[in-house]
Amino acid sequence: MISDKIRDVLNEQINKEFYSAYLYLSMSAYFAEIGMYGFSKWTKIQSKEEIDHGMILFEYVIDRNSQIRLAQIEPPLFEVKSPLSVFEQIYQHERSITSAIDCVAQMSESDCDLATRNFIDWYLKEQIEEEAMVSRIISKLKAFGEEKSALYLIDRELSHREYNQPVY
Ligand code: OFO
């Protein structure tokens, strides 16, 4: 069993992961609208992974004999200026998710809930990978993204991403 405080923060995190899925899915729609199908595929796959992140938390809360409290998911908000600006917003978003995960880790530690503290390690590592992956795309967009032909090549590269269900 986990404390009510930990139950609530894990439920909040489930909401954040599903919000992330919505955000990436709306970005995927935007990229499809402007004909950038590689960017669209990449963000759609990321959206699926975010649902997986939410579901891993969901199963954990149930396994700990606690309660799921699903809340409303806010509409996804982002500005559509350019692929670079969208990826910069993704980076900021992922940084905010990293801070939220850090808080879960700190709270579980101060609650002497070592099982949750151990569980959340997977998310800490996942956030390092996500921030790095997004920051590499931003660097490429900054270096070459002004040129349409380079953008086309980056779009093609992103179209190679395949969905791999995250394994906890
Ligand atoms: Fe679930 O990692 Fe991104 O948001």
Side-chain angles (χ1 to χ4, degrees):
M1 189 74 175
I2 52 181
S3 70
D4 290 356
K5 196 169 79 175
I6 297 296
R7 175 201 62 199
D8 291 347
V9 78
L10 291 176
N11 272 287
E12 277 167 29
Q13 193 59 40
I14 290 172
N15 188 273
K16 287 183 185 0
E17 300 294 345
F18 288 156
Y19 173 80
S20 298
Y22 252 36
L23 182 65
Y24 282 110
L25 197 58
S26 61
M27 288 168 169
S28 173
Y30 158 69
F31 284 125
E33 272 168 33
I34 61 170
M36 302 188 78
Y37 297 107
F39 281 90
S40 179
K41 183 180 175 194
W42 192 97
T43 41
K44 197 191 292 176
I45 287 174
Q46 188 59 35
S47 172
K48 280 189 186 179
E49 290 201 7
E50 299 298 352
I51 291 173
D52 293 328
H53 296 168
M55 289 311 296
I56 292 168
L57 285 152
F58 178 95
E59 299 299 347
Y60 178 75
V61 171
I62 290 176
D63 284 350
R64 300 301 311 280
N65 198 23
S66 190
Q67 301 85 31
I68 292 292
R69 300 275 185 262
L70 294 180
Q72 184 175 352
I73 300 167
E74 292 297 319
L77 286 180
F78 68 101
E79 278 181 36
V80 292
K81 276 197 229 143
S82 63
L84 173 60
S85 94
V86 171
F87 269 80
E88 284 175 334
Q89 291 168 77
I90 291 177
Y91 186 69
Q92 289 312 322
H93 174 71
E94 287 303 339
R95 286 191 58 182
S96 76
I97 295 293
T98 301
S99 303
I101 297 284
D102 284 344
C103 286
V104 179
Q106 273 171 1
M107 280 174 70
S108 48
E109 220 162 275
S110 60
D111 213 43
C112 292
D113 180 347
L114 298 186
T116 302
R117 176 65 193 84
N118 186 41
F119 165 78
I120 217 69
D121 262 346
W122 184 85
Y123 285 83
L124 291 171
K125 285 193 207 111
E126 187 73 10
Q127 284 309 119
I128 294 172
E129 275 174 32
E130 291 203 352
E131 283 189 26
M133 178 172 70
V134 173
S135 132
R136 277 196 292 271
I137 295 171
I138 289 175
S139 300
K140 262 184 216 167
L141 286 169
K142 279 187 175 160
F144 312 108
E146 297 287 298
E147 297 289 326
K148 282 203 168 173
S149 52
L151 257 186
Y152 172 77
L153 290 176
I154 297 172
D155 188 62
R156 210 164 65 175
E157 186 187 322
L158 296 187
S159 75
H160 296 315
R161 182 175 186 187
E162 294 298 337
Y163 169 65
N164 292 310
Q165 186 169 20
V167 181
Y168 177 76

